[in-house]
Amino acid sequence: MRLLAALVLLLGSAQDRRPNVVVILTDDQGWGDLSVHGNTNLATPAVDSLARDGALFERFFVQPVCSPTRAEYLTGRYHLRSGVHDTSSGGERMNLGERTIAEVFKSAGYATGAFGKWHNGAQQPYHPNARGFDEYYGFTSGHWGDYFDALLLDHNGRTVKGKGFLPDEFADRAIDFIGANKDRPFFCYIPFNTPHSPFQVPDRWYRKFADADLKLRDRDPKREDLAKTRAVLAMCENLDWNVGRVLKRLDELNLAKDTIVAYFHDNGPNGARWNGGMKGVKGSTDEGGVRSPLLVRWTGKIPPATRVRPIAGAIDLLPTLADLAGVAIPAGKPLDGISLKSALLGETAPPPDRMILQHWAGRFSVRSQRFRLDTAGKLFELEADPGQDKDVSKEHPEEVARMKKALDQWKSEMPSVKDDRPFTVASRFTPLPARDGIAAGGVKRSNKAPNCSYFTDWTREEGRITWDVEVAAAGRYDVVVYYSCPKEDVGSTVELSFRGSRMEASVQEAHDPPAYGPERDRASRATESVVKDFKPWRMGSIDLPAGRGELTLRALKVARGQVMEVRQLELTRAD
Ligand SMILES: [Ca+2]
């Protein structure tokens, strides 16, 4: 009896060590941008190895753009439920009260870290450190203007400058985190920022593609920008190298058997290029805009070369990874996703009868195991018709009715997207980037897309910049502005005010760095602003009362041509 008890205890303790989890996400890489999916234009041996040594999901779906997919992965729930309805202006934030995958694993004793593009909120308590990640390094915005020695990165809520090529740095940070936590279970999320534009990649990766003859092309080759495709493929090979470095580190630490590695993309390809003949790119609710790889390796547990046939989506990652790891999900809002553990462990059962929904910008589509109902109500059978060329709705009216009903039900459950959430000043340090501000009186954004933009053309006294904020705790706050101002324009007086409290200061020191970014692009950038090495200027301090209001920066006197350019305002509790 005693022997048996000891044996049970021994087995129990061996099982007590929960597996580590590494989740790798890439940005704007299409399903077709991997050699494991048949693309011979490039080689992605490290990513491919996950499919060889583990499982490949045959039909895995995400949303058409970044923030919605990330929110679904993080919460296991459809993005609209968590308040995510946009990729900027605060609409990228998950409501407080959502439970994240990091919180699930943290509650089971895991060390948690995220290294890369967050894109679900910049200020506490929306910041990754407040959503379950002990450690965070990266940028919280949807895109960045330059990937070399990147400016204004966020390390655990502090503003820092990066070093080297950004995806390499994210991998380095993740590798350090894995090493530092090798003796306890860890949950490591690596949301790489590429191949999202700007199309920047070191020569080492670009050389192979500079003049490459690309055999596989978009389904409509005329609309493909080959310079862009070449840059993207080089960026994908760099990503693969970084994935390989993470896997190598796990091997070196002898952790491969103790670590679940999952790999997926956040939306379809950011442009027309080979994607298995599917219709739709990033932003589209068609198959090509939302199909992503999902590769999951757990050496010794998931049989090599497992193929998962049931459809699945980003909403399934939280329940699946928690189930695999044996981690209980704390009580919270109901999940939309399901656990696919049994399919991963090689059990073949008929696929569950379920539908997965896609939504972006007023367009919807519904996917069942066999069909996709598109936003116009046409029905396509994807395996026979990957390009969605033949509408089969007439042949399957009952299927159309079933899918429309599911869509109507889904729509009726989704909260309204009317968003009245202020930006929050809720911690010792709060960054308020130009992205989250509103300009008036002639002040302009450096680019239409707010993400990494700054405010410029502030030439008149009517000019003002406001942030709709809610201050959680009254107190005195130090104010820093990342600014530029040429020598001939210094001398303006500015005022910062909030709910009756104010301070003023004058721009004394010239700082006029050059704009850069596009000269490093391998193909024309999309909507990313140029960047400048803005300088932090300590304007002074201000007493902020608690509550909601407009934090307003305006000029009391414009000395000469312009007041200054503004990239970010930062508030730090002084008391
Ligand atoms: Ca994306």
Side-chain angles (χ1 to χ4, degrees):
M1 257 330 258
R2 209 176 287 166
L3 188 68
L4 188 66
L7 194 66
V8 167
L9 203 66
L10 190 71
L11 283 171
S13 69
Q15 283 165 356
D16 278 344
R17 166 82 204 219
R18 307 239 181 255
N20 310 304
V21 179
V22 175
V23 177
I24 300 169
L25 174 62
T26 71
D27 193 1
D28 285 8
Q29 185 172 9
W31 175 89
D33 297 325
L34 293 173
S35 44
V36 73
H37 288 154
N39 193 337
T40 53
N41 289 337
L42 84 170
T44 51
V47 173
D48 297 2
S49 78
L50 298 173
R52 180 194 64 214
D53 301 337
L56 177 149
F57 282 66
E58 292 184 349
R59 296 279 170 169
F60 181 75
F61 300 106
V62 294
Q63 295 295 344
V65 290
C66 309
S67 307
T69 293
R70 289 155 197 264
E72 293 189 356
Y73 144 68
L74 286 164
T75 63
R77 288 155 50 79
Y78 282 116
H79 59 286
L80 287 177
R81 285 197 212 277
S82 66
V84 173
H85 60 90
D86 201 345
T87 52
S88 203
S89 310
E92 74 276 23
R93 296 174 298 171
M94 295 170 294
N95 287 327
L96 307 174
E98 291 291 329
R99 164 202 47 209
T100 72
I101 193 167
E103 289 164 342
V104 169
F105 280 88
K106 192 176 162 68
S107 70
Y110 279 63
T112 54
F115 309 92
K117 167 174 137 172
W118 172 246
H119 207 178
N120 289 112
Q123 298 87 12
Q124 293 263 7
Y126 296 95
H127 185 278
N129 286 141
R131 314 270 0 204
F133 289 102
D134 304 328
E135 176 77 17
Y136 175 67
Y137 184 91
F139 61 88
T140 57
S141 176
H143 64 231
W144 225 229
D146 193 89
Y147 292 157
F148 294 91
D149 300 337
L151 303 171
L152 291 169
L153 297 179
D154 180 317
H155 183 210
N156 292 332
R158 292 285 155 185
T159 302
V160 297
K161 185 176 175 179
K163 194 165 168 46
F165 187 50
L166 201 44
D168 300 355
E169 200 183 6
F170 291 152
D172 287 342
R173 295 270 172 170
I175 285 167
D176 287 349
F177 171 83
I178 289 169
N181 292 288
K182 64 182 168 55
D183 296 325
R184 60 180 284 201
F186 58 79
F187 182 89
C188 179
Y189 171 36
I190 320 174
F192 284 113
N193 58 309
T194 50
H196 195 299
S197 51
F199 302 106
Q200 299 181 338
V201 61
D203 287 340
R204 175 182 171 190
W205 308 103
Y206 188 65
R207 217 171 282 129
K208 172 178 165 184
F209 294 97
D211 303 306
D213 177 26
L214 303 179
K215 296 267 189 303
L216 295 177
R217 301 286 304 276
D218 183 65
R219 60 209 285 262
D220 179 5
K222 288 193 297 298
R223 62 174 196 163
E224 185 172 355
D225 171 354
L226 282 175
K228 186 168 153 181
T229 302
R230 290 189 174 106
V232 164
L233 295 176
M235 293 165 102
C236 291
E237 288 205 351
N238 163 267
L239 280 174
D240 189 76
W241 175 73
N242 278 313
V243 170
R245 291 201 300 136
V246 173
L247 299 181
K248 181 162 169 273
R249 189 69 186 132
L250 293 173
D251 285 341
E252 287 165 358
L253 295 170
N254 203 23
L255 290 176
K257 283 192 168 173
D258 299 319
T259 306
I260 300 167
V261 181
Y263 172 94
F264 73 117
H265 301 167
D266 74 336
N267 46 248
N270 52 356
R273 56 184 180 266
W274 185 81
N275 198 26
M278 289 183 286
K279 181 185 179 187
V281 297
K282 176 185 181 181
S284 163
T285 51
D286 287 316
E287 191 84 352
V290 298
R291 187 176 177 192
S292 156
L294 174 62
L295 309 172
V296 185
R297 184 191 83 176
W298 188 8
T299 306
K301 296 285 197 307
I302 297 175
T306 296
R307 295 295 173 261
V308 177
R309 176 139 175 78
I311 58 167
I315 48 173
D316 299 327
L317 284 163
L318 185 157
T320 302
L321 291 172
D323 195 11
L324 276 177
V327 164
I329 300 173
K333 296 179 174 166
L335 297 173
D336 288 306
I338 60 171
S339 171
L340 291 139
K341 176 183 172 182
S342 60
L344 277 166
L345 297 182
E347 290 169 24
T348 50
D353 181 24
R354 71 188 293 223
M355 291 182 231
I356 294 175
L357 291 101
Q358 266 82 34
H359 156 260
W360 177 237
R363 295 185 304 276
F364 299 88
S365 74
V366 188
R367 186 66 157 84
S368 66
Q369 188 68 36
R370 187 175 165 198
F371 298 103
R372 180 174 294 285
L373 183 76
D374 79 0
T375 196
K378 294 178 178 171
L379 189 74
F380 301 97
E381 191 167 8
L382 273 304
E383 273 178 42
D385 177 25
Q388 295 177 223
D389 294 317
K390 188 171 180 285
D391 177 11
V392 296
S393 55
K394 296 272 187 303
E395 288 91 317
H396 302 280
E398 70 299 331
E399 199 60 34
V400 172
R402 202 171 74 95
M403 294 175 92
K404 276 190 173 155
K405 194 177 161 205
L407 179 60
D408 288 342
Q409 175 67 29
W410 189 81
K411 283 181 182 173
S412 75
E413 286 175 16
M414 293 303 133
S416 140
V417 294
K418 199 160 163 281
D419 197 338
D420 189 40
R421 294 172 294 177
F423 292 101
T424 43
V425 178
S427 62
R428 295 209 65 78
F429 175 81
T430 303
L432 292 169
R435 176 184 74 241
D436 296 338
I438 293 169
V443 180
K444 294 194 181 78
R445 264 189 205 291
S446 58
N447 194 293
K448 212 164 52 188
N451 307 51
C452 63
S453 65
Y454 54 90
F455 288 123
T456 185
D457 285 7
W458 187 359
T459 57
R460 310 199 315 251
E461 277 170 15
E462 308 88 271
R464 63 186 56 210
I465 300 163
T466 56
W467 287 268
D468 172 13
V469 300
E470 175 142 22
V471 175
R476 191 153 189 85
Y477 290 79
D478 288 330
V479 181
V480 165
V481 174
Y482 278 76
Y483 84 109
S484 76
C485 184
K487 198 171 156 201
E488 61 272 22
D489 290 338
V490 294
S492 297
T493 306
V494 295
E495 178 200 70
L496 184 72
S497 62
F498 180 73
R499 289 170 62 99
S501 183
R502 60 180 294 279
M503 63 148 299
E504 62 179 73
S506 65
V507 184
Q508 297 289 355
E509 202 182 328
H511 177 62
D512 191 17
Y516 67 94
E519 70 284 357
R520 293 207 258 241
D521 297 353
R522 306 288 185 177
S524 301
R525 57 179 56 204
T527 54
E528 294 79 24
S529 172
V530 294
V531 304
K532 289 186 181 183
D533 195 354
F534 294 99
K535 184 172 167 172
W537 166 39
R538 193 179 175 281
M539 268 181 69
S541 54
I542 185 170
D543 285 314
L544 296 180
R548 184 170 181 178
E550 282 196 338
L551 183 72
T552 303
L553 190 62
R554 68 179 184 116
L556 299 176
K557 185 191 78 172
V558 180
R560 297 185 183 84
Q562 64 167 315
V563 179
M564 61 177 160
E565 292 180 322
V566 174
R567 173 62 176 82
Q568 179 154 300
L569 188 136
E570 296 179 348
L571 300 171
T572 306
R573 274 295 288 265
D575 47 14

